[in-house]
Amino acid sequence: MPRPCDKFDWPLEWPRRNLLASVGPEPHRLEATEGTGVKLQIVLTNLAHYTAPLRRFGASSLGRMFVLAIGLAAMTAFTVSDLQKSADFWLSACLWCCLAYFAVEGYVRAQAALQAGKARNYLLSASGIVDLVAIFPVPIALACGVAQPTAWLWASLWVLKLAQNSPGFAQLARVFVLEARPLASVLVLFLIVLFLASAAMHVIEREGQPVAFGSLPAALWWAVVTLTTTGYGDEVPQTALGRLLGSVVMICGIATFGLWTGILATGFAAESRRRNFIETWDLVSKVPFFQTLDPTSITEITHMLRRVEIPERVAVIRRGRVGDCMYFIAAGEVEVDVEPSPVRLGVGAFFGELALLGDSVRTANVATTKPSTLLILDLADFRKLMAHHSELARVIDAEGKRRLGENLRRRETGARGDAVAS
Amino acid sequence: MPRPCDKFDWPLEWPRRNLLASVGPEPHRLEATEGTGVKLQIVLTNLAHYTAPLRRFGASSLGRMFVLAIGLAAMTAFTVSDLQKSADFWLSACLWCCLAYFAVEGYVRAQAALQAGKARNYLLSASGIVDLVAIFPVPIALACGVAQPTAWLWASLWVLKLAQNSPGFAQLARVFVLEARPLASVLVLFLIVLFLASAAMHVIEREGQPVAFGSLPAALWWAVVTLTTTGYGDEVPQTALGRLLGSVVMICGIATFGLWTGILATGFAAESRRRNFIETWDLVSKVPFFQTLDPTSITEITHMLRRVEIPERVAVIRRGRVGDCMYFIAAGEVEVDVEPSPVRLGVGAFFGELALLGDSVRTANVATTKPSTLLILDLADFRKLMAHHSELARVIDAEGKRRLGENLRRRETGARGDAVAS
Amino acid sequence: MPRPCDKFDWPLEWPRRNLLASVGPEPHRLEATEGTGVKLQIVLTNLAHYTAPLRRFGASSLGRMFVLAIGLAAMTAFTVSDLQKSADFWLSACLWCCLAYFAVEGYVRAQAALQAGKARNYLLSASGIVDLVAIFPVPIALACGVAQPTAWLWASLWVLKLAQNSPGFAQLARVFVLEARPLASVLVLFLIVLFLASAAMHVIEREGQPVAFGSLPAALWWAVVTLTTTGYGDEVPQTALGRLLGSVVMICGIATFGLWTGILATGFAAESRRRNFIETWDLVSKVPFFQTLDPTSITEITHMLRRVEIPERVAVIRRGRVGDCMYFIAAGEVEVDVEPSPVRLGVGAFFGELALLGDSVRTANVATTKPSTLLILDLADFRKLMAHHSELARVIDAEGKRRLGENLRRRETGARGDAVAS
Amino acid sequence: MPRPCDKFDWPLEWPRRNLLASVGPEPHRLEATEGTGVKLQIVLTNLAHYTAPLRRFGASSLGRMFVLAIGLAAMTAFTVSDLQKSADFWLSACLWCCLAYFAVEGYVRAQAALQAGKARNYLLSASGIVDLVAIFPVPIALACGVAQPTAWLWASLWVLKLAQNSPGFAQLARVFVLEARPLASVLVLFLIVLFLASAAMHVIEREGQPVAFGSLPAALWWAVVTLTTTGYGDEVPQTALGRLLGSVVMICGIATFGLWTGILATGFAAESRRRNFIETWDLVSKVPFFQTLDPTSITEITHMLRRVEIPERVAVIRRGRVGDCMYFIAAGEVEVDVEPSPVRLGVGAFFGELALLGDSVRTANVATTKPSTLLILDLADFRKLMAHHSELARVIDAEGKRRLGENLRRRETGARGDAVAS
């Protein structure tokens, strides 16, 4: 029986495979014989399926993102005078709908906070402030008599909704905080070059180009545009000396920028290691398989594992594909599609080890039956683990051989031709 | 009793929390019943509170930075002829005041150096030179008869005051020194591409555009603007061959720049590791808690700890927040806000371990009572430490259990409702 | 006897040597006395020789790349109206030939897939889709009556052929997938700055420049051009406030970009380590020399080795050169050019260790006789290996001494002057 | 007696100190009483002193660099028609002199190669080719009747002399070779975006802007300028769709560039580690102090040390400065300036350990008496070394204590006031 979710690859596996194959046929076939209610349910399930990978990227709800996109597009279109005249009603309607949506969303959240007695916390939290600036500025501006398109410009604050509830920002902010001292030094360096270069350029070029370099603010504008290597070209030095100074400023710009990037790269590498360890640790210590290990080994293994959250009914492994990782189940449940009847594996079990021990081809389909948290062990780390922890190696090897034997026995006994070829 | 400084989070903790909450209510409430002297003192203390995080960023004194900003702004405004005419007096007054301020500052420093018999050292030090170029050029220029706005342009050197006493620059300079050889190679590569490209472009384009590419200096200007990817657009190749060459130059520019950034990133990562070790080592070896360890373990632990300087009366931990680090006191003192009476912890003590051992919620407020130096141990490193050093794990665990027991006993005996909820 | 392939250095060795020397004389001399068939064979062998390093860079077949280059060039020329008029026939012929070539290629591949019963797999694979979009759009467009040059624009899709069968893309894609979360956060940050900056700029500048900033889409265009530091200069803020905002946007652009680069650098470093381990592991475990080691040591050694594929008859080591690596033969065979007769080394043997043990000058020429896979051990890692694995050190040392002894004995006995000096 | 070279800091120490102090007084005072020959010698020695740090940066000879700079400047000036008319004779003379200088240089080198029987090697080496292209093109062009300034444009090839004999290039080239595969993938990505974007832009914008986007080559030029974020602004999309596509291209440009930089950063970090190990290893194994260690420890220590070459008579350590590293002498000799008479330390000795063991202030001046090679051990690594190798710790500690005792005894006995304060 071909399982519907087989066609849907988990994003971690598709880079090496063809992307197209993974979005081909739908996860559930709509059979004409079924009732409308069932049909609708299947459509919704399919939609949830297809958007599962999207949801990982911080967009907590696709609906919200859709409203947001519509709202921002309408707001943008509203400032174009032609569109504003021809489609005034529709754009206004769109904008008011979006505003209503955000107002309801904010109200629900505020209500929940009030009931939990945390109203003040909510108002002062990032989420609360985003809700406030999304809802109130436009009505207030309209009430104060600001003209239509201008008042709706406040709706550009809706873009902050993108960042609401996104954990990734905390991580980026942490990099900036940890590396605050060197980054501040680079900014000071930037300011010093900026001021000295623009003062010198002002002196050099003010006679030839009194408009572009006649005052220090104008020269500062040139310096910023040049030092960031933006280079609009609205103010360009003309004298030989000015051009020499300009060259130095450009090279300083690149040097400063390189330093800045280097600092952020260093900070991000450290933060990334730290976050991964923390995310994985709790899960590792809960997997029974690892509980025989001493704390030192657990620390070591934690560095090797990568955590992924997988929604319900998503294929993790597809038969016949080349595999380069194995999985431990930290939460949830998966179903292994073996003959004659599928086997379910629960928390603490592992799968996918056969491809690592043998000839690297997956021998069965594995799909989640519940939303699951898996720990991924890459081939490289798998081999290191096998090398350093002989007891784990023995357990995995024994289980692998047992499963292989079972597979063979099943294939021999259940020698009926199966149509699954894919 | 709600402690005033509770509302003030240490910058290391706020990225994950709401920024706004941390600057809401003032640290000390101004009570109307108190005298003016006391009021003034409170205002000053509050100001010191709020600017504490700012002071970390190399701005050794907020007042100085303010004077500097005023001075640079006035100098900039002075070069705009309209402003100069309308506000000549005020701008001049501003500039003279700033100059006076820097003169006094320089005088104080010189005096101190003279008394210590190190006048020559001071004059030749970076700090002394910055003082000199901040004070003397403007009066000398005015004395030499240079016109007003031009003479004051020398005040742009005041921007160097930003770098005075900033330790971050030494670090950046060290990166450049350590990686001097590869960086010099990249610069040579840059020069080679520059010269060859501009000579070729001069030959290709000089007939079509005799002004823009008619001489090698003009072509060199084009090459610098292109190779740094600034791209003013004042000189653009028009022929097919010229555009092909231009494309190659742009791609070379990106390649060179990438190499440059890569070198700086590598150098900065090494320097960052080194600095952190040196900053932390002395403190670690002084904490009694670590003195039972052998040198190898101390080296290892030093790599895990991060040092922070925290001013007086700043909340380090707030009850109810989620915690992901513990603290060792290397210098200073903190007060733990437990019932019935606060407990003070001195040098060598640790706190915040309960959240790491248990359910990650802070169980008490902790605030500094003196300017303190704390060593921060992240959750990830805490777990590695626990895994590798069983004796430390035992001590921390025992202390954690003792404190937890005390907390419970206190809550049972002192069963009066406390109003502190926040 | 001077061996022809001596003159041809393996790319891994040439950075330190002169590039020119390595492409000087041809690998096989064409002797006039030989027949035409032999001559042709020699020419082809030589061509294969010279293009061997090229083939490593993902260009699986030089012929294909040549057809592709011709096709893209013809397509590009076809859009220039002058060329189109003057060389219509030749360009059309060129394009049709290329199309025919790709059609044949696609047909062969489809045929192979059909025979293997994997037609559907092929059609949905990246390779199949590239074949489809390379072959069909142009004929379909022409059939639909689209004018000549416009229809041939679809031939720009041929550029995708460059990526067909290239393993490097999987690696780059993996970096993006692994770091998807932080990269998405950076993109969101980018969008937030974009929208807020353009709304503000629209308000600030719309009165002065109604065309450039009169609508939000126009202001968004400015914001994108500025935030990416492209800086066309077609829309430039003119007011003081606008320029201040513009400066902030430029600096935000650099900060965002630095973060982006830092994330990719971190991700790439991790992915690079992982890939190298996986590529090397299988080979290492098959080399007999390493089979005495325990798994932990094999893991360690795997990290030190780098795999290279070398075509037949290519010189790996040249006598008299300075060497800084040794080689293990994982597959294939090499011939060591020692007197009196060359020695052949097979799978599991090693060579090049003499230069690392002694005075770093290669004592013999070594060339592959079959396509071989070698594992390279750098000098730095060689010394670490010697330090940590005394048994390996003993084996390599003994073998080195034996060979050195043999070399000396040979030189003494076979004391005839050999003319090979090069 | 104040030693002359005291005033000259080794570049590794100056970032933390004032730069100015280090170039103040000259290393040798010219005494009027001495003869002219001695005076000249002193001047030359002083010059060698001051240029010593410069020579580290790949400029093997300052004189050559000077000739090169003059030559390139004259060549550049020669293309400016005004200068050419007014100073024709002088510029020509300059250029001919430089050409003569390079011809002599090339001749000397060729002669040396001939005598060593390696003429062919020399001609095919990078150095030989640079010599050839520096000497011959200009005379040949003049002989062929090319006009004066155009013929001299070939002199721009002189810039290659900068790279001659520079070891840094090999290192950069190695990074490119090692990371060739991913870099090639990025280039292919770049090409794909380039072609597809320009074909699409050509279709979108050709009606509105027939000159800028009317043909594919023009659109390709736009795509290159945009994708590299150069942004000349000579061709800018005007339609909404074109601008949307342009935005995507810019963001792709930044993404591609970030990947490129990330790859180079990763490659450079690996190469940098490798090079440092190889440079240091030979020296470490020759220092007697380390010869008691087992190979594993030597490998470990090699990673900690950094090698520097210091010319004769340069101060390595200055009394009273804060020190954060110690030195091992791998070659050469240093003189420690202690009372009553200086002590000389030879190969295998170490110095500077007192500041690391005690209060971090240098207690004596140390200067080289011969060109020396020192191995620098940073404070961070010094502490790790002390922690892991107790036997070395004991030796260094004992020697430190002995020297400290001697210092104290000397100070007590030799209680005459010494005037050296600085």
Side-chain angles (χ1 to χ4, degrees), chain B residues 216 222 226 231 236 274 281 299, chain D residues 79 231-232 234 324 383-384 387:
Chain B
L216 202 52
W222 167 83
T226 303
V236 178
R274 183 189 147 278
W281 173 274
T299 317
Chain D
T79 63
Y232 283 136
D234 56 336
D324 64 352
R383 277 167 179 163
K384 276 183 232 164

Side-chain angles (χ1 to χ4, degrees), chain B residues 52-100:
Chain B
L54 281 173
R55 261 175 279 153
R56 282 173 69 223
F57 295 96
S60 53
S61 141
L62 205 74
R64 270 179 87 211
M65 289 304 116
F66 185 71
V67 171
L68 182 56
I70 293 284
L72 288 175
M75 187 268 290
T76 304
F78 211 46
T79 63
V80 184
S81 46
D82 291 352
L83 284 171
Q84 193 196 334
K85 277 169 202 150
S86 61
D88 188 16
F89 173 75
W90 292 109
L91 291 174
S92 289
C94 237
L95 284 165
W96 281 110
C97 287
C98 294
L99 188 60

Side-chain angles (χ1 to χ4, degrees), chain D residues 228-243:
Chain D
T228 57
T229 74
T230 305
Y232 283 136
D234 56 336
E235 298 183 354
V236 178
Q238 301 289 357
T239 62
L241 205 60
R243 288 180 166 190

Side-chain angles (χ1 to χ4, degrees), chain B residues 120-121 124-126 129 170 173-174 177-182 184-186 188-189 191-193 195-196 199 202-203 206 214-217 220 222 225-226 229-238 242-244 246-248 250-251 253-259 261-263 265-266 273-274 277-278 281-282 295-297 299 303, chain D residues 7 11-12 14-16 18-21 25 56-58 72-73 75-77 79-81 149-150 153 156-157 159-160 162-163 166-169 171-172 175-176 187 190 217-218 221 224-225 227-235 253 257 260-261 264-265 268-269 272 275 279 306 324 378-381 383-384 386-388 422:
Chain B
R120 195 161 141 268
N121 270 16
L124 291 175
S125 72
I129 287 162
R174 226 186 120 92
V177 168
L178 283 179
E179 302 287 340
R181 238 173 8 167
S185 295
V186 172
V188 166
L189 202 69
L191 281 176
I192 288 175
V193 175
F195 256 87
L196 298 186
H202 167 59
V203 171
R206 65 181 161 183
S215 71
L216 202 52
L220 275 168
W222 167 83
V225 168
T226 303
T229 73
T230 305
Y232 283 136
D234 56 337
E235 298 183 353
V236 178
Q238 302 288 356
R243 288 180 165 190
L244 202 67
S247 304
V248 172
M250 284 170 210
I251 293 168
I254 281 190
T256 316
F257 187 178
L259 212 47
T261 305
I263 293 168
T266 305
R273 260 196 310 276
R274 183 189 147 278
F277 188 92
I278 289 185
W281 173 274
D282 282 331
T296 317
S297 306
T299 317
H303 277 296
Chain D
K7 306 302 165 210
L12 264 149
W14 56 248
R16 278 172 308 116
N18 36 58
L19 179 61
L20 267 280
R56 282 174 69 225
F57 296 94
L72 288 175
M75 187 268 290
T76 304
T79 63
V80 183
S81 45
T150 306
L153 276 178
S156 62
L157 289 166
V159 79
L160 292 171
L162 274 174
S166 162
F169 278 89
Q171 203 189 334
L172 297 187
V175 172
F176 277 99
L187 273 184
F190 184 90
W221 172 244
V224 169
V225 168
L227 204 54
T228 57
T229 74
T230 305
Y232 283 136
D234 56 336
E235 298 183 354
F257 187 1
W260 179 270
T261 305
L264 288 177
F268 189 80
S272 176
R275 172 181 51 94
E279 276 186 355
R306 211 172 52 244
D324 64 352
D378 257 337
L379 180 54
D381 294 318
R383 277 167 179 163
K384 276 183 232 164
M386 294 296 99
H388 287 93
S422 84

Side-chain angles (χ1 to χ4, degrees), chain A residues 7-35:
Chain A
K7 306 301 162 213
F8 201 78
D9 264 314
W10 182 246
L12 264 151
E13 296 220 357
W14 53 248
R16 278 172 310 115
R17 322 224 194 308
N18 36 58
L19 178 61
L20 268 280
S22 69
V23 278
E26 57 278 68
H28 283 255
R29 298 241 174 72
L30 282 171
E31 310 279 343
T33 54
E34 283 170 350

Side-chain angles (χ1 to χ4, degrees), chain D residues 1 3 6 319 335-339 341-343 363-366:
Chain D
M1 188 195 75
R3 292 168 44 77
D6 277 355
R319 185 187 299 148
E335 195 177 79
V336 186
D337 177 28
V338 286
E339 297 295 338
S341 65
V343 171
T363 54
N365 292 316
V366 179

